[in-house]
């Protein structure tokens, strides 16, 4: 994480709608996810990068008016917490646009993979791409994310799949994190897929052998390196079974590295119930999680991170059941899944797309991209809401009510992305 993030003083006043998404100590689920308090003629004060006051303009300026502090007039505007991107893979080489064109032309994913496509293609190209090119790609992606309203971002490895490559890619992600204003959370994803060039001893299946490698020597090396904030593991038919994933999860918990899970992206694979049983902070995708599995698993603190653009690009015949997850008291988050096959960087547009895609309310979508996403990253004490003591990460949008953001091209409404009280992006910048 960048330890030299901006820390500036700023007042924002006279917002038509200031939406704090107040944090009461837990991620929101059920009816609470739809509770969007709005402060009319709202204001906030930021000092040394932290929020020190939130309320009406009169309330805030009574104690924090200062002619030496920059003041932004937000008349007719909506003020939101900075968005939290909770699932991305920005470090990769090459592009898989031809695969998408093939899919649009009628090819199945299985046919594309059989011809050598899929994640393994990205692994090969990423290994062969220079550090300079990889870092340029990450830098450009993070800049576009900032332009799309993101102020905190999770970035995953997962296109290396050897100890050497995974450690090196984590180093590159850490280097990129030092050169962006974004708050950055780094996830080690050694258990993405099983590498096809793995040398396996006789009598052992490739997946079992690789599971033991990830849970043992690879994880040990990642811990010694000291960069990763999380470990991620895939629970998917054809990749890692629930039992194999639980081995990785158990070892990760033993050594103190919290767990995220790729689950049920392509098939119902018991990924959701495995993530919850294994104490994962989040489970991500959930496109094919059966309704019965959601209800049987019941309420949980594990955050369900849904990826609507992935479902669109992958042309899935099913969508994650966001409504059932919320009604089952599961906190819901939304992310872009920016990666080698999905080039969506705007979480703001993804948020507004998620509402009709999943038939969730604007309030539920906003909470999903702010407070709940922050909880999914273990960063809710720092970001995700406009509460006193948290970072001054703020969006200013040209809309007089937050629901209006969902009625058009949201990126066109974004005027400023503010991180720690400093303007990180603004219109025409």
């Amino acid at each position: 994480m960048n330890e030299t993030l901006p820390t500036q003083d700023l007042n924002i006043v006279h917002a038509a709608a200031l939406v704090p998404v107040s944090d009461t100590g837990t991620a929101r689920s059920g009816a609470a996810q739809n509770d969007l308090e709005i402060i009319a003629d709202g204001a906030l004060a930021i000092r040394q990068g932290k929020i020190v006051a939130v309320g009406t303009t009169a309330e805030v300026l009574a104690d924090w008016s200062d002619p030496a502090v920059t003041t932004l007039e937000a008349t007719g505007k909506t003020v939101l917490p900075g968005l939290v991107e909770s699932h991305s893979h920005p470090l990769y080489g090459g592009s898989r646009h031809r695969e998408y064109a093939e899919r649009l032309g009628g090819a199945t994913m299985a046919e594309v993979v059989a011809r050598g496509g899929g994640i393994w293609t990205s692994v090969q190209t990423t290994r062969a791409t220079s550090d300079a090119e990889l870092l340029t790609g990450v830098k450009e992606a993070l800049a576009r994310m900032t332009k799309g309203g993101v102020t905190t971002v999770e970035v995953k490895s997962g296109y290396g799949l050897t100890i050497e490559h995974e450690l090196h890619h984590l180093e590159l992600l850490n280097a990129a994190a030092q050169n962006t204003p974004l708050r950055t959370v780094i996830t080690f994803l050694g258990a993405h897929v099983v590498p096809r060039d793995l040398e396996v001893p006789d009598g052992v299946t490739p997946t079992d052998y690789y599971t033991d490698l990830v849970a043992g020597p690879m994880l040990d090396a990642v811990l010694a390196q000291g960069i990763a904030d999380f470990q991620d593991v895939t629970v998917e038919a054809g990749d890692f079974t629930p039992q194999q994933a639980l081995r990785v999860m158990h070892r990760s918990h033993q050594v103190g590295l919290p767990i995220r899970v790729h689950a049920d992206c392509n098939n119902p694979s018991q990924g959701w119930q495995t993530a919850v049983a294994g104490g994962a902070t989040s489970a991500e995708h959930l496109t094919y999680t059966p309704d019965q599995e959601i209800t049987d698993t019941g309420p949980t603190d594990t955050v369900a991170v849904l990826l609507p653009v992935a479902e669109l690009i992958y042309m899935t015949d099913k969508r994650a059941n966001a409504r059932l997850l919320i009604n089952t008291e599961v906190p819901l988050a939304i992310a872009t899944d920016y990666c080698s096959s999905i080039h969506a960087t705007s979480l703001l547009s993804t948020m507004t797309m998620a509402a009709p895609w999943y038939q969730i309310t604007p309030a539920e979508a906003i909470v999903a991209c702010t407070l709940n996403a922050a909880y999914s990253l273990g960063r809710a004490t720092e970001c995700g809401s406009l509460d006193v003591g948290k970072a001054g990460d703020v969006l200013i949008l040209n809309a007089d009510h937050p629901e209006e953001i969902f009625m058009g091209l949201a990126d066109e409404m974004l005027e400023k992305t503010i991180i720690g009280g400093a303007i990180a992006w603004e219109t025409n910048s």
Side-chain angles (χ1 to χ4, degrees):
M1 180 174 177
N2 190 343
E3 300 297 336
T4 60
L5 291 168
T7 57
Q8 295 194 16
D9 295 349
L10 181 70
N11 286 345
I12 302 173
V13 298
H14 296 304
L18 188 143
V19 185
V21 195
S22 303
D23 185 358
T24 59
T26 60
R28 296 193 189 186
S29 61
Q33 181 142 2
N34 193 41
D35 182 13
L36 197 65
E37 65 273 37
I38 296 173
I39 301 174
D41 191 23
L44 58 84
I46 300 168
R47 297 294 183 272
Q48 296 184 336
K50 301 288 187 181
I51 298 171
V52 294
V54 180
T56 65
T57 298
E59 291 168 342
V60 171
L61 292 183
D63 294 320
W64 295 98
S65 178
D66 184 343
V69 171
T70 299
T71 297
L72 297 179
E73 288 284 341
T75 303
K77 314 294 185 186
T78 289
V79 174
L80 293 178
L83 304 186
V84 178
E85 172 57 73
S86 54
H87 184 119
S88 79
H89 308 248
L91 191 142
Y92 62 85
S95 177
R96 289 160 57 188
H97 58 85
R98 289 182 181 173
E99 293 180 14
Y100 186 43
E102 289 177 7
R103 292 293 312 282
L104 290 170
T108 66
M109 181 63 78
E111 290 170 339
V112 169
V113 172
R115 289 198 288 267
I119 291 172
W120 183 243
T121 297
S122 295
V123 172
Q124 292 176 300
T125 55
T126 304
R127 289 177 180 176
T129 301
S130 70
D131 289 357
E133 190 174 344
L134 290 172
L135 283 171
T136 296
V138 177
K139 179 181 178 181
E140 291 175 352
L142 296 181
R144 294 199 303 273
M145 289 179 188
T146 308
K147 184 178 178 181
V150 171
T151 56
T152 296
V153 59
E154 186 251 17
V155 294
K156 303 178 191 288
S157 67
Y159 294 128
L161 307 187
T162 68
I163 295 175
E164 178 184 1
H165 283 107
E166 284 295 313
L167 291 178
H168 186 55
H169 293 170
L170 290 170
E171 289 174 350
L172 293 177
L173 287 170
N174 190 52
Q178 306 311 309
N179 291 285
T180 175
L182 294 172
R183 304 177 197 283
T184 308
V185 177
I186 298 176
T187 295
F188 157 56
L189 178 52
H192 197 182
V193 296
V194 178
R196 296 186 187 179
D197 59 355
L198 193 66
E199 295 183 5
V200 182
D202 292 339
V204 183
T205 67
T207 308
D208 273 328
Y209 180 77
Y210 188 65
T211 298
D212 290 340
L213 177 66
V214 171
M218 194 179 289
L219 178 55
D220 290 340
V222 168
L223 290 169
Q225 183 186 48
I227 290 174
D229 300 296
F230 281 91
Q231 178 172 205
D232 198 337
V233 57
T234 297
V235 183
E236 194 72 49
D239 293 314
F240 300 92
T241 66
Q243 293 74 24
Q244 290 163 338
L246 285 168
R247 276 155 51 191
V248 173
M249 297 167 75
H250 178 67
R251 178 81 204 296
S252 201
H253 284 307
Q254 280 186 324
V255 299
L257 191 62
I259 278 284
R260 314 177 72 74
V261 174
H262 274 62
D264 304 332
C265 174
N266 302 310
N267 299 279
S269 304
Q270 300 177 40
W272 172 242
Q273 65 185 45
T274 301
V276 174
T281 302
S282 69
E284 307 171 17
H285 282 288
L286 306 179
T287 301
Y288 286 95
T289 303
D291 291 352
Q292 191 65 49
E293 185 174 329
I294 293 171
T295 55
D296 287 349
T297 301
T300 178
D301 292 333
T302 299
V303 180
V305 181
L306 306 190
L307 310 172
V309 181
E311 294 173 349
L312 176 66
I313 297 296
Y314 295 154
M315 294 182 282
T316 60
D317 59 3
K318 191 176 183 296
R319 301 178 187 183
N321 195 337
R323 174 55 53 214
L324 181 60
L325 287 161
I326 291 172
N327 291 348
T328 308
E329 301 290 334
V330 174
L332 189 79
I334 301 291
T336 64
D337 196 12
Y338 176 80
C339 64
S340 62
S341 58
I342 300 166
H343 291 187
T345 52
S346 173
L347 184 54
L348 183 62
S349 288
T350 301
M351 177 183 80
T352 58
M353 168 197 169
W357 188 259
Y358 293 125
Q359 295 187 9
I360 60 176
T361 67
E364 289 167 335
I366 290 170
V367 171
C369 292
T370 54
L371 185 65
N372 282 2
Y375 271 99
S376 85
L377 298 180
R379 295 297 189 273
T381 58
E382 304 169 20
C383 62
S385 65
L386 302 179
D387 284 303
V388 171
K390 291 196 182 186
D393 298 349
V394 185
L395 304 185
I396 300 178
L397 297 109
N398 187 18
D400 61 12
H401 193 281
E403 291 175 354
E404 186 182 343
I405 300 165
F406 292 78
M407 298 177 66
L409 298 174
D411 285 3
E412 295 181 352
M413 301 181 189
L414 182 61
E415 294 192 349
K416 290 180 174 62
T417 300
I418 297 167
I419 301 177
I423 295 174
W425 178 88
E426 60 183 330
T427 306
N428 299 323
S429 64

